[in-house]
Amino acid sequence: MTNSNVPSKWTTLTAMFLVAGTCIGGGMLALPVATGISGFFPSLAIMVVCWLAMSITALLLLEVNLWMEEGVHVITMTSRILGVPGKVVSWALYLFICYASLVAYTAGGGLQIAATFSNWSNVALSKEIGCVIFILLFGAIVDLGARVVGRVNAIFFTAMIAAYVLLLGMGIDEVNSYQLLHQQWRTCLLAIPLTLTTFSFQTMVPSLTPYLKRNASALRWAVLGGTSITFIVYALWQWLILGIVPVEGENGLTAAYLRGEPPTQFLEQHVHGFWIAGIANFFAFFAIVTSFLGIALGLLDFLSDGLKIKERGWGRLFLGALIIVPTLIFATQYERAFLVAMESSGGIGDSILNGMIPVLMVWIGRYKMGYSGAFRVPGGKPMLVATFAFFLFAFIIQLLAYTTWQLC
């Protein structure tokens, strides 16, 4: 039954920031490298398609979630509608996406903490210690619940946007409009899997439902507003990086792609000045933290639902340990293995779990099982077929990339 209470505008805004903060993270560093070879306009076209597709499946997942009682997460949803096969696939893919992301963010955040501490104190701090500090600090915040996470995330998201605006302001004069005209359309489709990860937040949709009191209008605003903010932020970031860092050359985007290196260090080489480097580091850290908070919150609720453990007392501590301990082990010992896994999480994880599965659940729930509710995504069967076909295409691209080096 839908709760008649209407969340405040501030609560809806913090939910919107939580969505955007979850999307804007490690992809900010990887996207320009993955799409830079194709050029600004081809990458922008792929971003538009992926933005629309991921927004649609988020709304589809929201429709399914509002069919259920409060507290139901992805596991229960897929189990009720898709049966045991859907439950098993959801378990595996959800855990893969979430843990891979958390490992990457913990490793990146820990490295920044260690570097910052060493620079300010002249005392060397290992990356491993930095990872421990990062995950204990922000893991504790997640353990305090959705409302605390929403408020803390809003602060970090605001700081991230401020650093982002400063970067744009300082770098705008360095943008070479001629570089933005570079276009290589035949390679742009290869960026679809990674671009999907930059709009990946669907796993936290069931956590937003109780946060916004199951209000369909507020939830729709949070999803569409959050993804729209994400698109604008990424589009301007692409414009800045692709307009400053050339495609060719030793310090170009092609070399960065082949070596798997982030573009920020190339940005520093093309835009001189201490403040640019410092602000870029702050921006990267805030982006990592906001993504970590959103994904960790979604994983906490997922484990609670899947393991039937209440988020109270010792149960909450146990769930927190299930997140912190594996993440910390892999972030400090097996970081590179998970970074490689992150490259394929969009084509495998997001295309299935956040793409095809929501479509299948809505199709079966609407047209086979007779589910209905206060919220329904428009478009009917044609929209569902087109959305499913797109994510199947992304999945095939990733499979081909595994077997054909020329497609990488």
Side-chain angles (χ1 to χ4, degrees):
M1 184 176 180
T2 303
N3 195 323
S4 60
N5 293 330
V6 178
S8 67
K9 292 182 179 179
W10 170 250
T11 302
T12 303
L13 187 63
T14 59
M16 193 182 299
F17 285 163
L18 191 57
V19 169
T22 302
C23 295
I24 302 170
M28 198 63 122
L29 303 178
L31 188 60
V33 176
T35 62
I37 298 175
S38 300
F40 175 69
F41 290 104
S43 71
L44 195 63
I46 293 300
M47 283 177 58
V48 169
V49 174
C50 291
W51 166 44
L52 291 174
M54 294 293 270
S55 296
I56 288 172
T57 57
L59 292 175
L60 292 174
L61 192 61
L62 175 60
E63 179 180 339
V64 175
N65 194 235
L66 289 175
W67 292 340
M68 312 291 173
E69 68 273 15
E70 186 170 319
V72 169
H73 211 277
V74 175
I75 285 295
T76 301
M77 291 159 59
T78 54
S79 179
R80 289 180 183 178
I81 298 178
L82 302 180
V84 175
K87 180 177 181 179
V88 172
V89 171
S90 296
W91 257 107
L93 292 176
Y94 188 99
L95 291 175
F96 171 74
I97 293 173
C98 288
Y99 275 110
S101 300
L102 292 179
V103 165
Y105 296 143
T106 300
L111 185 61
Q112 287 195 304
I113 288 176
T116 301
F117 182 85
S118 299
N119 291 335
W120 287 2
S121 65
N122 293 323
V123 177
L125 184 70
S126 68
K127 184 200 75 174
E128 288 75 16
I129 298 299
C131 290
V132 172
I133 295 173
F134 179 89
I135 199 168
L136 289 182
L137 176 60
F138 295 106
I141 292 174
V142 172
D143 208 45
L144 294 176
R147 294 196 176 275
V148 174
V149 170
R151 292 166 184 164
V152 172
N153 183 81
I155 295 172
F156 275 94
F157 185 81
T158 303
M160 179 186 69
I161 293 299
Y164 171 82
V165 171
L166 285 175
L167 275 177
L168 288 178
M170 292 182 175
I172 189 171
D173 291 335
E174 302 290 339
V175 173
N176 184 343
S177 57
Y178 177 77
Q179 290 182 190
L180 296 175
L181 298 178
H182 169 76
Q183 298 181 37
Q184 191 171 319
W185 288 91
R186 62 185 177 86
T187 62
C188 68
L189 294 180
L190 303 178
I192 287 178
L194 189 143
T195 307
L196 289 177
T197 66
T198 63
F199 294 100
S200 178
F201 73 97
Q202 285 84 341
T203 52
M204 62 168 293
V205 166
S207 300
L208 291 177
T209 303
Y211 181 62
L212 293 177
K213 303 178 181 179
R214 299 178 63 83
N215 184 277
S217 177
L219 286 162
R220 183 173 61 250
W221 273 107
V223 169
L224 295 179
T227 57
S228 297
I229 292 173
T230 301
F231 175 80
I232 294 171
V233 169
Y234 273 117
L236 291 175
W237 180 251
Q238 288 284 89
W239 170 80
L240 180 71
I241 297 297
L242 301 187
I244 294 177
V245 182
V247 175
E248 304 298 335
E250 183 180 354
N251 296 320
L253 291 170
T254 301
Y257 177 78
L258 294 175
R259 295 199 294 263
E261 298 177 354
T264 48
Q265 61 183 13
F266 296 96
L267 180 65
E268 293 177 14
Q269 293 171 4
H270 291 278
V271 180
H272 303 289
F274 170 79
W275 290 109
I276 289 288
I279 294 172
N281 287 330
F282 275 114
F283 169 75
F285 183 75
F286 294 146
I288 287 171
V289 170
T290 53
S291 288
F292 177 90
L293 291 174
I295 292 176
L297 177 63
L299 180 57
L300 185 74
D301 291 342
F302 177 87
L303 292 174
S304 174
D305 176 56
L307 299 176
K308 305 304 178 186
I309 299 175
K310 299 293 184 182
E311 295 183 35
R312 296 193 298 268
W314 289 105
R316 179 174 283 274
L317 290 177
F318 179 70
L319 292 172
L322 287 180
I323 295 175
I324 290 174
V325 174
T327 299
L328 191 58
I329 290 174
F330 282 98
T332 56
Q333 303 298 323
Y334 305 101
E335 175 187 350
R336 184 153 187 84
F338 261 79
L339 288 177
V340 172
M342 282 289 288
E343 294 176 358
S344 62
S345 64
I348 303 299
D350 284 308
S351 65
I352 299 176
L353 181 62
N354 295 332
M356 289 184 272
I357 284 182
V359 174
L360 289 175
M361 285 198 295
V362 168
W363 185 287
I364 294 174
R366 280 185 193 173
Y367 306 117
K368 301 295 183 182
M369 304 177 71
Y371 277 109
S372 63
F375 176 71
R376 184 185 179 101
V377 181
K381 291 182 178 180
M383 182 275 294
L384 294 177
V385 171
T387 304
F388 186 89
F390 170 76
F391 283 100
L392 179 61
F393 178 67
F395 177 74
I396 293 172
I397 288 177
Q398 189 61 58
L399 292 183
L400 292 175
Y402 280 143
T403 56
T404 309
W405 171 251
Q406 287 78 9
L407 293 178
C408 297

